[in-house]
C-alpha cells in the first residue's frame, strides 16, 4: 500500500492579512471624539473590501490609560469610552458574518494598580491575594535588587501601608502578577475563556516574555531592549496547550 500524504493545514492566522485597530482613533460612532465599537462596526464593509482576514483590537478594557489601555483594571468589561459589551458582541457577530476573524490584545503580565486584585493585595500582608503579586522586603534599607523598569528608574515601588516593595516591569501603575501562583494562572484562564466564549478567535499577548518572574526566586538580571520586544499570539489553541510557564530570557 502506498503512503498517503496528508498536507498539514496552515493555521488561519499564519496566512491572513490583519488590520490593527487602535480603538481611540479609528472611527467615532457616537460623536464624542473617540473611536468606539459602534464606529468600528460601521466600517466593517470597508475593511472587507480591503481584503483583510482578521482584525487585531488594541486594548478596549476599562483602564486608567496610564499606558494606552495596557494597564487593565477590569478584564471582563469594555471601557465605557468604547461602548458596552453589547456593542462588542454586535461587532464580533458582524465581523464574523463578513468572514473577518477577530483577535484581541490581552495583557497577562500585569494589571493596573486600580484593579480590584491589587487593591486587595496591598490592603494587608495577610490578604488572600497578597501572593498574586510580587512583594519583597527592603534590602539594606533600599530596593530588593537593581532591576530597572522598562520605562526608566527602579522596577520596585515602596508601599508605605504594608512596608514592602512591589515589582513593576513597566510603569509603577502596572503591577506585575506572580505567575508562580497557580491561582493567578487559573484566573487568567477564566479571563481568556470569557472572551473566547464571546466569539473572538484568539489573542495577541502583550509582553509575553515577562510572564514568569517568581516572587520566591528573585534573581538580579538585566533584560536588553531587544528581549523586551517579544510578542505572542494564541489563536485557536485549547487552553490546556498554552505554555503557561514561559520564562524571560537570561
Amino acid at each position: 500500500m502506498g503512503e498517503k500524504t496528508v498536507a498539514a493545514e496552515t493555521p488561519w492566522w499564519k496566512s491572513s492579512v490583519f488590520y490593527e485597530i487602535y480603538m481611540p482613533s479609528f472611527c467615532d460612532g457616537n460623536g464624542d471624539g473617540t473611536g468606539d465599537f459602534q464606529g468600528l462596526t460601521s466600517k466593517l464593509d470597508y475593511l472587507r473590501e480591503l481584503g483583510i482576514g482578521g482584525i487585531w483590537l488594541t486594548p478596549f478594557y476599562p483602564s486608567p490609560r496610564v499606558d494606552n489601555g495596557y494597564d487593565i483594571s477590569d478584564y471582563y468589561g469594555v471601557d465605557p469610552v468604547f461602548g458596552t459589551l453589547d456593542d462588542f458582541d454586535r461587532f464580533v457577530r458582524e465581523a464574523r458574518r463578513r468572514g473577518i476573524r477577530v483577535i484581541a490584545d490581552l495583557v497577562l503580565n500585569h494589571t493596573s494598580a486600580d484593579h480590584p486584585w491589587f487593591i486587595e493585595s496591598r490592603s494587608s500582608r495577610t490578604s488572600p491575594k497578597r501572593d498574586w503579586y510580587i512583594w519583597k522586603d527592603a534590602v539594606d534599607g533600599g530596593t530588593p535588587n537593581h532591576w530597572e523598569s522598562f520605562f526608566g528608574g527602579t522596577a520596585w515601588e515602596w508601599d508605605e501601608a504594608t512596608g514592602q516593595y512591589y515589582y513593576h516591569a513597566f510603569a509603577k501603575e502596572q503591577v506585575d502578577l506572580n505567575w508562580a501562583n497557580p491561582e493567578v494562572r487559573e484566573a487568567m484562564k477564566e479571563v481568556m475563556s470569557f472572551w473566547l466564549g464571546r466569539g473572538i478567535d484568539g489573542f495577541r499577548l502583550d509582553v509575553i516574555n515577562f510572564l514568569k518572574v517568581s516572587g520566591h526566586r528573585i534573581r538580579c538580571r538585566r533584560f536588553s531592549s531587544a528581549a523586551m520586544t517579544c510578542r505572542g499570539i494564541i489563536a485557536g489553541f485549547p487552553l490546556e496547550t498554552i505554555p503557561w510557564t514561559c520564562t524571560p530570557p537570561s
Side-chain angles (χ1 to χ4, degrees), residues 103-115:
I103 67 170
D105 247 318
L106 186 63
V107 187
L108 303 179
N109 178 71
H110 53 260
T111 71
S112 166
D114 290 348
H115 196 290

Side-chain angles (χ1 to χ4, degrees), residues 162-179:
T162 58
Q164 282 189 313
Y165 285 93
Y166 66 81
Y167 176 68
H168 57 94
F170 297 89
K172 66 180 180 181
E173 296 88 355
Q174 296 170 284
V175 192
D176 277 49
L177 286 158
N178 177 16
W179 273 80

Side-chain angles (χ1 to χ4, degrees), residues 123-179:
S123 66
S124 166
R125 287 200 185 197
T126 60
S127 164
K129 284 191 169 56
R130 186 68 170 183
D131 194 43
W132 281 43
Y133 296 85
I134 299 171
W135 294 91
K136 300 298 286 184
D137 291 327
V139 175
D140 298 328
T143 59
N145 61 26
H146 69 295
W147 283 2
E148 296 178 357
S149 163
F150 184 77
F151 291 160
T154 179
W156 298 96
E157 183 71 13
W158 179 251
D159 182 65
E160 191 69 38
T162 58
Q164 282 189 313
Y165 285 93
Y166 66 81
Y167 176 68
H168 57 94
F170 297 89
K172 66 180 180 181
E173 296 88 355
Q174 296 170 284
V175 192
D176 277 49
L177 286 158
N178 177 16
W179 273 80

Side-chain angles (χ1 to χ4, degrees), residues 88-108:
F88 173 87
D89 290 341
R90 177 173 176 265
F91 156 70
V92 172
R93 286 196 306 269
E94 291 299 316
R96 181 160 300 219
R97 192 166 67 85
R98 291 164 173 81
I100 300 173
R101 297 179 185 258
V102 178
I103 67 170
D105 247 318
L106 186 63
V107 187
L108 303 179

